[in-house]
Amino acid sequence: MDKVTELKDKGNAALQSNNCDEAIQCYTEAISLDSKNHVLFSNRSAAYAKAGSYQKALEDAEKTVQLKPDWAKGYSRKGSALAYLGRFEESVKAYEEGLKYDPNNAQMKEGLAEVQAQMMGQFTDDPMASFKSPFKSPDIFIKLRNDPRTAEMLNDPDCLKLINSLQTNPNALSDRFNDPRMITILSVLLGLNLSAENDDTSPMDVDPPNRSTPPPTKSTPTPPPPTEDPSLTPQQKQAQEQKELGNAAYKKKDFEKALEHYNKAVELDPCEITYLNNIAAVYFEQKDYKRCIEQCEKAVEVGRENRADYKLIAKAFSRIGNCYRKLEDWKQAKVFYEKSMSEHRTPEVKTVISQLETKIKEEERRAYIDPAKAEEAKEKGNDLFKKGDYAEAVKYYTEAIRRNPDDPKYYSNRAACYTKLAAFDLGLKDCDECVKLDPKFIKGWIRKGKILQGMQQQSKAITAYQKALEIDPNNQEALEGYRSCSVAANSNPEEVRKRAMGDPEVQAILRDPAMRLILEQMQSDPKALQDHLKNPEIAAKIQKLLESGLIAIH
C-alpha cells in the first residue's frame, strides 16, 4: 500500500469514528503528496462539512469538480455544502448537474428534494411564520441533519415523506402526534425538550397481549370496557389481578408491596415477561441495579422461550442499559442499548447511544493521556523532522498531542511540519491552539508569524511578531521577521490593498457608514482615535484594518 492510500484509509476510518480533525489532517497530508487526486478533495470536503466548516467544504468540493468534471459525487459534495451555507439556488444547480452524470443516484435525488423543500419555505411576509409552523422554516433540514436525535431519521424515505407532507400541509400535524418520531422532530425544530428527561419513561410494562380479543378499529371513538379473555386459565386471571395490585402499590411508591404482588403473579404465570419486567422496574427504582439487571436477563430468557412481543424484550435490554448508565459503565450500557435496538428501533434509544458514544470517546481520550509517552512520541517526531520526513513526523506529534493535549510545544512542532508540507491552514490552527494554551510561549507567536508571512499576509504576520516582541524585545528571530514583513508590506502598497479588499470582513467594515465616519475623523483629528478605541467593537474593527495594511497609525 502506498503512502497516499494509507493516509486516505486512515482518514476514512477517522471520519467514520466522527474524528473530523484527524480525518482532515490525514486527507491534507495525502493531498500534499498527490494534489491531483479528486477523491482526496471529495473526502476532505465531507470531513469539513461534518466538522461544520461549510465554506472549506465548498472549496474542496469545487476543487473536486475541477479535477474530475464528470464525477457525480463531486457535485453532490458541492450541492450539500451550498445548502448548508444557505445558497439554495446554487445548490439545486449543483445537484442537477451531478444528476446529468448519474441520473439514478438516490443520495443526490434526496439532497435535491431537501433543498427544494427548503426553498419552498424560504420567503414569507409573516415574521412569526416559522414559529407558527416550524415545518415552514427554511433551515429545517439543516437543523434536523445537525442534531444527533434526528440525523439518522433523514436517511429514512418514509420520514422524509412525513416531513414534506407537513411542509405542504402544516395543519395535518395534529394527526401525526401518534408517530413517536414527531415528538423528537418537534423538539429539535422548536429547541425544546418535549419528552421527560429521565432514564425510564415508562417503568411498568403494558398488560400481556390479549390472547383472543382483536384490537379496536380506528373508527371506534371510545373503546369498550375490557372484557375477560375466555382463553385465560384461572391462574392467569389471578396473575393479572396480582399485577394490577402491584401497579397500584408501585404508583404509591410502596415498592415492597409491589414486589410481593408481582412475584405472586410470576408464581401464577411464570411464562409472562411483563411481570418479570415490572419486578425489574421496582429494583431500578430502589437503585438495586445488580438485581434489576439479573431480573431483566431472566425476562429476556423467558420472553424468548415463550415468543414474547419483541418490544417487551427490547424494553428489558433497554432497562439493563439504564442500569449500566447509572453505574457509569458507558460501554456496557451501549452494548445493551444496541441489543434493544436490534429488537425494536426507536429514535430515543438511538439518541442515547449517540450520547454514550461521546462519553466513551471522552473517557478513552482521558485514559490515553500519558505525559511520559507524549515526550517519547515528540522525540521520534523530532528525529523524523530532522530527516525531512515531515508527513511521518506529523503522526508522532499528533500522538504526543493525544497523550498530553495541554502542552503547547507539541502543537508548535506539528505546525512546523505542516508549514513544510505547505498545509498552512492546519499549521495556523496549531499555532493558535499553542498560544491559547500558553500566551507567553514565544515560539508559538514566531511560528505563527512565519506561516502568515508564507501566506503573504504581511500585516497579520507583523501583529504576531509584535506579540513575540512583547514577551522578549530582544528576540532576534522575531525582530528579523518583523523587519522583513514591514519592508514587504510597504514595498507594494497596491498589492496590499488588493489582498485586503478581497477579505469579506474588511469589506463589511468599510461598508459600515459609522466606521467610514470614524476613519474620516481619524484623518482630520488623530486624537479622536483614543476615544474610539475605548469602544471594544470599534477597536476590534480598527485592529482588523491595521492587520490588513489598509491603514497605519504613526
Side-chain angles (χ1 to χ4, degrees):
M1 184 186 296
D2 64 19
K3 190 72 175 175
V4 171
T5 305
E6 182 185 336
L7 286 166
K8 184 189 76 171
D9 291 346
K10 189 177 177 184
N12 293 347
L15 189 59
Q16 287 171 2
S17 303
N18 292 321
N19 192 340
C20 300
D21 287 344
E22 184 181 346
I24 291 166
Q25 287 171 13
C26 291
Y27 295 139
T28 300
E29 289 172 40
I31 288 169
S32 70
L33 300 172
D34 183 2
S35 60
K36 302 297 181 184
N37 190 324
H38 64 282
V39 175
L40 296 175
F41 284 99
S42 172
N43 290 5
R44 192 170 68 172
S45 174
Y48 274 133
K50 201 166 188 178
S53 300
Y54 304 124
Q55 184 59 43
K56 289 184 177 179
L58 176 60
E59 290 168 7
D60 273 356
E62 288 175 335
K63 183 67 175 177
T64 305
V65 171
Q66 179 189 336
L67 290 170
K68 187 75 172 168
D70 59 347
W71 195 50
K73 186 173 279 189
Y75 296 96
S76 178
R77 298 277 191 233
K78 184 177 179 180
S80 175
L82 286 164
Y84 278 123
L85 291 166
R87 294 158 62 177
F88 301 128
E89 290 183 6
E90 294 172 74
S91 176
V92 167
K93 289 179 183 176
Y95 279 123
E96 287 175 344
E97 188 67 23
L99 286 167
K100 291 179 184 177
Y101 298 103
D102 188 359
N104 300 316
N105 188 301
Q107 187 179 358
M108 275 201 290
K109 286 181 179 179
E110 180 191 321
L112 178 60
E114 283 186 25
V115 177
Q116 288 172 332
Q118 290 176 65
M119 289 177 69
M120 286 172 62
Q122 190 173 8
F123 301 104
T124 174
D125 295 327
D126 183 359
M128 296 295 287
S130 292
F131 181 79
K132 292 173 184 172
S133 173
F135 294 93
K136 289 290 186 182
S137 173
D139 61 349
I140 173 175
F141 286 100
I142 294 175
K143 284 183 180 177
L144 296 176
R145 183 71 75 185
N146 286 344
D147 195 293
R149 290 173 289 174
T150 48
E152 190 71 20
M153 291 186 190
L154 297 187
N155 297 326
D156 180 356
D158 290 338
C159 189
L160 283 173
K161 283 182 186 176
L162 171 66
I163 296 168
N164 288 332
S165 70
L166 289 168
Q167 286 183 305
T168 307
N169 180 20
N171 295 329
L173 180 60
S174 58
D175 300 328
R176 300 288 187 177
F177 274 113
N178 61 339
D179 189 328
R181 295 172 299 183
M182 190 48 57
I183 297 298
T184 307
I185 290 169
L186 282 172
S187 295
V188 173
L189 295 181
L190 297 174
L192 302 171
N193 183 7
L194 301 179
S195 59
E197 278 276 343
N198 63 52
D199 296 286
D200 206 56
T201 52
S202 51
M204 290 183 295
D205 292 303
V206 295
D207 289 336
N210 193 306
R211 291 170 180 136
S212 64
T213 310
T217 60
K218 284 186 180 177
S219 58
T220 309
T222 351
T227 56
E228 273 196 356
D229 185 346
S231 69
L232 295 179
T233 66
Q235 279 189 311
Q236 288 171 333
K237 290 176 184 176
Q238 289 175 40
Q240 285 205 11
E241 290 170 5
Q242 289 295 323
K243 188 210 70 162
E244 292 302 328
L245 292 170
N247 288 356
Y250 182 98
K251 288 172 185 174
K252 294 175 183 176
K253 296 192 180 296
D254 187 350
F255 297 129
E256 293 304 324
K257 200 72 176 172
L259 278 175
E260 184 183 323
H261 289 299
Y262 290 146
N263 280 313
K264 185 64 177 174
V266 173
E267 289 174 21
L268 292 164
D269 188 0
C271 298
E272 178 52 58
I273 186 176
T274 301
Y275 311 142
L276 298 167
N277 270 348
N278 282 3
I279 291 171
V282 174
Y283 288 143
F284 187 87
E285 288 295 326
Q286 292 178 322
K287 297 181 172 53
D288 192 343
Y289 302 123
K290 183 180 177 183
R291 292 177 76 181
C292 179
I293 290 168
E294 290 171 355
Q295 194 66 31
C296 288
E297 288 172 342
K298 185 177 178 182
V300 170
E301 185 182 340
V302 169
R304 292 211 192 281
E305 286 174 0
N306 295 279
R307 298 184 179 179
D309 185 342
Y310 58 86
K311 291 181 182 177
L312 296 178
I313 294 175
K315 186 157 188 78
F317 279 132
S318 184
R319 187 170 280 122
I320 295 175
N322 289 341
C323 288
Y324 280 117
R325 274 178 82 193
K326 289 291 186 182
L327 295 168
E328 297 189 356
D329 187 341
W330 315 124
K331 289 185 179 179
Q332 277 295 89
K334 180 171 177 276
V335 166
F336 283 95
Y337 282 124
E338 286 173 340
K339 286 185 178 183
S340 176
M341 288 282 281
S342 70
E343 298 291 333
H344 176 56
R345 296 181 68 84
T346 66
E348 292 77 16
V349 174
K350 177 68 176 172
T351 299
V352 171
I353 290 173
S354 296
Q355 292 168 349
L356 286 172
E357 285 171 346
T358 302
K359 286 181 180 290
I360 291 166
K361 187 176 176 182
E362 177 60 19
E363 197 173 65
E364 289 174 345
R365 187 189 74 82
R366 289 180 182 277
Y368 201 69
I369 291 174
D370 185 332
K373 290 185 177 177
E375 278 298 302
E376 289 176 16
K378 186 205 75 170
E379 291 304 321
K380 289 179 181 176
N382 289 351
D383 290 341
L384 289 162
F385 185 90
K386 290 170 186 173
K387 293 173 184 175
D389 193 348
Y390 306 118
E392 196 66 21
V394 164
K395 288 184 181 179
Y396 284 98
Y397 291 137
T398 301
E399 175 68 6
I401 288 168
R402 285 180 186 152
R403 290 290 187 181
N404 190 1
D406 296 327
D407 193 321
K409 66 176 176 287
Y410 304 142
Y411 296 93
S412 175
N413 289 5
R414 191 171 67 175
C417 284
Y418 283 138
T419 306
K420 294 291 186 180
L421 293 167
F424 297 120
D425 54 340
L426 292 174
L428 200 56
K429 185 178 177 183
D430 271 354
C431 287
D432 286 336
E433 186 62 30
C434 173
V435 297
K436 178 183 173 185
L437 288 168
D438 182 2
K440 299 293 184 184
F441 191 76
I442 191 167
K443 190 174 282 188
W445 290 111
I446 293 171
R447 190 95 68 202
K448 182 175 181 178
K450 286 187 175 181
I451 291 174
L452 289 166
Q453 208 172 344
M455 296 170 74
Q456 298 300 307
Q457 296 183 24
Q458 311 294 348
S459 298
K460 288 183 180 180
I462 287 173
T463 302
Y465 286 129
Q466 282 176 332
K467 291 282 186 182
L469 291 169
E470 286 172 15
I471 299 165
D472 179 5
N474 299 314
N475 186 288
Q476 287 303 308
E477 208 172 355
L479 284 167
E480 287 172 13
Y482 181 84
R483 289 174 189 140
S484 173
C485 289
S486 299
V487 170
N490 294 323
S491 63
N492 193 342
E494 182 59 27
E495 189 63 31
V496 171
R497 191 190 71 79
K498 281 183 183 177
R499 276 200 302 272
M501 294 305 294
D503 186 332
E505 194 177 343
V506 170
Q507 291 175 18
I509 293 170
L510 294 177
R511 282 198 298 268
D512 183 348
M515 280 303 298
R516 284 160 65 180
L517 183 62
I518 289 167
L519 292 172
E520 287 173 10
Q521 281 183 328
M522 284 169 57
Q523 285 183 317
S524 58
D525 181 13
K527 292 180 182 178
L529 175 64
Q530 297 303 320
D531 293 329
H532 291 307
L533 289 176
K534 292 175 184 176
N535 183 321
E537 188 178 345
I538 293 173
K541 290 180 179 180
I542 290 174
Q543 180 63 30
K544 177 67 181 176
L545 295 177
L546 285 168
E547 289 178 357
S548 72
L550 276 183
I551 65 171
I553 299 173
H554 302 288

